Amino acid sequence: IDLIHRSALFYEVKFAQPEQIDKEGIWVAWKNICTELVLHVREKFPDHEVLIDGSRNLGTLTRIKPIVGGDTIHQCISAASILAKQAQCGAMLDLHKKFPAYHFDQSHGYGSPQHVNCVKELGVVRGIHRVQFVETTARKNHFTLKWC
């Protein structure tokens, strides 16, 4: 991580908020945040092509190259993936400090069986859990949601 921080010309990590994902959907939220990040890169490096991991493009923005498996091909995408994962894990640790009973330190933002059981037993934390995700999870696991 330190090597990435020292050698990167520019980096920025952004998160979509649960309410944004519930309102827009995961892919629209991704596209909006990714577009914002690309525009920030363009401010600093206007003539550079921007590489994005995956197959989705950003519509009208030009000089963007989506690359499936890009994190295994390009060091800059690998570095971005590492920084994003570090930020996500840090955010989950912060949530764990506020809500230790949910074991966010072990689920890292994914619906692990332990975390699903916590949601079932303790309820949904508004503003933290994505409504659509927990509703789908409850339906699949046959339990009624409680809202905190």
Side-chain angles (χ1 to χ4, degrees), residues 4 69-84:
I4 295 170
D71 59 338
T72 64
I73 300 169
H74 295 281
Q75 288 182 345
C76 59
I77 296 176
S78 297
S81 295
I82 290 167
L83 292 174

Side-chain angles (χ1 to χ4, degrees), residues 10 19 28 43 53 61-62 65 70 81 96 98 106 110 114 124 129 140 146:
F10 172 78
E19 300 85 10
V28 173
E43 289 172 7
D53 193 24
L61 290 177
T62 60
K65 185 174 181 180
S81 295
H96 178 69
K98 294 178 185 173
Q106 296 171 25
Y110 303 106
Q114 179 185 32
V124 179
H129 291 105
K140 285 182 180 178
K146 296 183 274 188

Side-chain angles (χ1 to χ4, degrees), residues 19-37:
E19 300 85 10
Q20 179 186 8
I21 296 170
D22 284 330
K23 180 180 176 187
E24 302 172 346
I26 189 84
W27 290 114
V28 173
W30 173 87
K31 182 179 178 181
N32 290 340
I33 285 183
C34 201
T35 297
E36 187 178 331
L37 290 170

